[in-house]
Amino acid sequence: MEQKEVPIKPGHISIVLKSSTQQMDEVVVTALGISREKKALGYTAQEIKSEALTQGKDNNLLNSLSGKIAGVRITNTQGDVGSSRIVIRGETSIAGENQPLFIVNGIPVDNSQLNSQSSGRDFKNAIADLNPEDIKSMTVLKGPNASVLYGARAAHGAIVITTKDGSGQQGLGITLHSSNQISFAANLSDFQNLFGQGAGGQFSYVDGNGAGVNDGVDESWGPRLDVGLLIPQFDSPIDASGNRVATPWVSHPNNVRDYFRTGFSTNNGVSIARGDENYQYRVGYNYEKQISIVPGVETNKTNISLNTDYHLAKWLSVGATANYIVYTTPSLPGSATPSGSNARSNSPMLQFLWFGRQVSTKSLKEDYTRNWNSSYYSNPFWNAYYNTQSQERHRLIGDVHVGFHLMEGLDARFRTSTDWYHDRRKSKVKWGTSGSPYGSYAEDAYTVKENNTEAIVTYVKQLNADWGMDALAGFNVRNKQYENNYQAAPRLAVADLYTLTNSRDQLTSSNYFYRLRQYGLYASAQVNYRGWAFLNMTGRNDWSSTLPAGNNSYFYSSVTASVLLSEALGWKNRSISYLKLRGGWSQVGSDADPYQLATVYVSETAFNGNPLQTSSGEGMNPALKPEKTSSIEAGLEAAFFNNRVHLDFTYYKTDSRNQILKLATTAASGYTSQVRNAGHIRNRGYEVQLGATPVQSKTGFQWDVNVNYGSNRSKVMKLDDEGLITSYQLYSSGIQILASVGEAYGTLFGSTYVRDDNGRIVVDDSGLPKISSTSQVLGKFTPDWMGGISNTFTYKSFSLSFLIDASFGGPIFSNTNKTGKYTGVLENSLPGRDADHGGLWYYMDGDNNRVPLERPNYETSSTGLYYANVNGQSTRVYQDGILVDGVTEDGAKNTKIVSAENYYHRLYSIAETNVYDALYVKLREVALTYRLPKTMVRKLHLQDASVTLTGRNLWTIHKDVPNIDPEAALTAGNAQGVEAYSLPTTRSFGLNLAVKF
């Protein structure tokens, strides 16, 4: 507001202040927890407030960021309890970690998704342990320019989280919050309901293991449903002779939906806070329980937090933070990779894609021992409730810090912190499980501990009327330790006794241990001229135990600058409120994983009682050098019309060199892979943040809109200096995900149709499309651009907000569609399956050739086969003929009919047919809030109270890929662009209550 002086006179005085066009100096938390005026930053730093994280109440913190930050991509793996991945400005490491560093109150915290045994379960990423209700703000430092002071791990950006404290709380403040949500499966696949289990149009159940007619087949190419057929099935009654009685062969359109249940989550907490000029504290307790839509799956999380500071003297302050988390789950849902161990059979969606469309899920639920197919699977409810994967994680994140005020402008602080957790998992497979008749039991335990100790000295001084400076210097010691111990009883000796001693075979075991140490010395200096020109320089040198002695020291630095043109040139007026240019250059180094320097022997199972060791297949590198990531960034920030419109534009380019890769090599060298410094990947792009207040009325109505947009282009420049290596494989099963020289990172590379020079599909001698003998580029998994638009409408005590976010470009390889078409369960396998869906009539002649027919007068047998009079004889006829639109090798038009079953089986092996555009537009979040008016709050002796109705993932406005969520991911690692039988995304509705005393 504008300053106004009014003389004091006797009686009532009325003062009206006018709005000022001057933008208040916004302060954000930057690297090392230092608060800086945003106008002084030479890089972009986007801040997210607590309300944006807690409004939607997603149980994974990362999912709450979707669509809210420019240039940030978030993917989710397994429905409502899966892990999530976050990448800022594209992937900068070919084979290493690409997710940002997380900092909580100055403490580096782990975000690993530990799963060394590839158990076929999706364990949550560790950052999901945090309680969003404890978070005050989150600052996203998007590139090395912003995060260089954090060292090697921040080459991919950093997310700086500040938790709530008691500062500013007058008297004792007690806050209660309660949230309850229900959720539903939102994007189940579209299944066909015309054909049931079997092959070649035939099926009859005896034992589900091949004794009947195709009853061991787990596909739906069987007889037509709902046409009055009676066929023996898995849940048919058994007569006196022990035979199955034929029962109506009918569809169960909702048999997959009937497996899932309504999910429910509750989140309740209380915090107590108080503060004054000498101290502050906040203590919080929170309990979250989620019952998944998947039967037998739930999670429980308890957070106890403390944040306190005390000023013992004018020159001395002490403080501590602590967050103790207990996360437990009796079981996690099975997930499936396209190829792998028996763990795949625990995936519910995998089973429903190799399924019989006549199967009644309700019948399976009535008796878990009842099974529709014994060749490959157990009853899905048997898997859900008996074949479990439990997890219990105890975690402590905390620090003790001391601050010293040495003299005016000179301060020092010392901090020692820890992030420790112990994660124990138990896997049970019940005796009698299909494929594991004796059952099994395994224990998997992880202990992760990281300690950081640092000392920082800061100096701030206004040198004269024009010049000011702000400097710091610090030292950091990082110690990290990781341990994994795994033991398994491959087959139980006694049923239902889950102990490691109850094993009929020798126990299988493995363990892995590493520790590393890093020393870091860093400094930063900023000078400013008249508060409108700023120059900042940083430098850091690290010493790492994971690099060889000659290369274990590496220095990197940054230079950034910003100029407020609105102040410098006097452009400030009603139209231009704020105008700033900024830019910078930076370089960040990165070390290797532990134990990459020396090749060692690996211990194997003893032979005849004698120890056995073999040489590792990996050739290590004693001359490794640190990776280097360089970045340039330039941007413009502006505000117009009394700050009613805000704009932030950024352009960046990042080059990562000397990447540490394990490159495949010929076995003749003695190794199958070798560790080398190789690779150069480049990312460039731009981001836009636009905010406006189109309407701001005197009646109390206000409309705020915020738009964010980000576009990134990556390119693999080279993989080795010699130019001999052209691609690096990130994933391979059905399709390859590659880092290929000259292509974007994450190129999809797979088989295609064979086409002639005119682009026509070439068929083989049977009339089926030919599969290319060489793979081709099928796109890149990174989107062309991402964005989001949020609108908030406020009227007095009411507020309505909604968020729409979108991603355009970037394909996805869908195993759901690939498999569902092969097995005939999906609706997109109907074209050509009968005459009503374009199928051609034909019969088989004596040479087993398909001979076309005009639509005959046919009869249907009791088993669902079709017969007609052909050449004077009763002959089996078919109506599932497909004539592929293509040519033969010699260019002649194709005339050979193939069966729909054979056609869709062929498509399974052509990767091109299973690659789809992953674009989407979603209504991500809606919230309606009512906040009690201040007058009512005071009457009730409260400080604040509100109630919010929320909805999340309410509507997929547009997508191209059928049957799956285009955001689905196979893993939280670098193998993106692949979907594998993912659980459905959930749609949720909730009620949030918050009261502050």
Side-chain angles (χ1 to χ4, degrees), residues 270-519:
V270 59
S271 64
I272 301 173
R274 188 166 186 170
D276 63 18
E277 59 184 14
N278 293 318
Y279 71 92
Q280 70 81 18
Y281 68 84
R282 180 183 183 272
V283 180
Y285 170 84
N286 197 85
Y287 174 70
E288 175 189 275
K289 182 181 183 69
Q290 181 182 19
I291 299 174
S292 170
I293 62 170
V294 181
V297 176
E298 67 176 59
T299 63
N300 303 274
K301 185 174 70 173
T302 300
N303 293 71
I304 301 173
S305 60
L306 168 69
N307 189 335
T308 183
D309 286 288
Y310 287 87
H311 292 277
L312 302 179
K314 290 184 177 180
W315 58 273
L316 177 64
S317 65
V318 297
T321 65
N323 191 349
Y324 188 77
I325 306 122
V326 180
Y327 171 82
T328 63
T329 174
S331 188
L332 290 170
S335 61
T337 54
S339 61
S341 65
N342 288 336
R344 299 177 76 233
S345 63
N346 284 324
S347 166
M349 290 311 299
L350 178 70
Q351 182 170 164
F352 292 140
L353 287 164
W354 296 86
F355 205 47
R357 295 302 302 145
Q358 85 292 347
V359 174
S360 168
T361 310
K362 293 180 179 179
S363 178
L364 293 172
K365 189 175 182 180
E366 291 171 0
D367 183 355
Y368 299 169
T369 63
R370 183 183 291 165
N371 197 13
W372 67 279
N373 179 282
S374 299
S375 296
Y376 305 101
Y377 307 101
S378 293
N379 181 313
F381 292 97
W382 172 291
N383 285 334
Y385 289 104
Y386 294 153
N387 297 340
T388 60
Q389 174 71 68
S390 66
Q391 181 183 15
E392 181 173 341
R393 179 160 64 208
H394 291 252
R395 186 174 191 179
L396 175 64
I397 302 170
D399 82 312
V400 175
H401 49 270
V402 182
F404 303 91
H405 180 60
L406 304 177
M407 57 179 286
E408 183 179 355
L410 182 62
D411 295 275
R413 72 170 185 254
F414 174 84
R415 180 199 310 272
T416 183
S417 66
T418 188
D419 178 16
W420 167 93
Y421 62 87
H422 181 69
D423 192 335
R424 188 171 185 183
R425 304 163 183 184
K426 297 180 180 180
S427 175
K428 300 177 182 179
V429 177
K430 186 175 176 61
W431 187 290
T433 294
S434 179
S436 301
Y438 294 98
S440 65
Y441 175 68
E443 294 186 3
D444 196 13
Y446 299 84
T447 301
V448 180
K449 179 174 65 175
E450 177 171 324
N451 295 328
N452 282 271
T453 300
E454 66 181 14
I456 299 177
V457 177
T458 61
Y459 182 64
V460 180
K461 184 174 179 61
Q462 187 66 34
L463 301 176
N464 53 44
D466 294 331
W467 294 94
M469 68 169 293
D470 184 340
L472 71 83
F475 180 72
N476 173 271
V477 180
R478 175 192 176 213
N479 290 283
K480 184 171 183 179
Q481 183 173 302
Y482 166 95
E483 184 175 3
N484 172 235
N485 292 288
Y486 174 81
Q487 280 193 303
R491 297 189 303 168
L492 300 179
V494 177
D496 301 332
L497 177 60
Y498 296 105
T499 65
L500 292 172
T501 55
N502 181 36
S503 179
R504 63 177 57 224
D505 304 310
Q506 181 178 347
L507 295 178
T508 60
S509 62
S510 66
N511 66 343
Y512 183 71
F513 174 86
Y514 77 71
R515 58 185 177 184
L516 63 84
R517 176 172 294 172
Q518 286 180 331
Y519 296 101

Side-chain angles (χ1 to χ4, degrees), residues 94 657 678-681 715-721 725 741-742:
I94 291 176
R657 296 177 171 88
H680 172 194
I681 184 172
K715 186 177 182 180
V716 179
M717 308 302 292
K718 68 177 181 178
L719 287 174
D720 66 324
D721 292 334
I725 301 172
V741 175

Side-chain angles (χ1 to χ4, degrees), residues 165-177:
D165 57 24
S167 301
Q169 174 61 47
Q170 299 294 324
L172 187 65
I174 301 175
T175 302
L176 302 174
H177 72 86

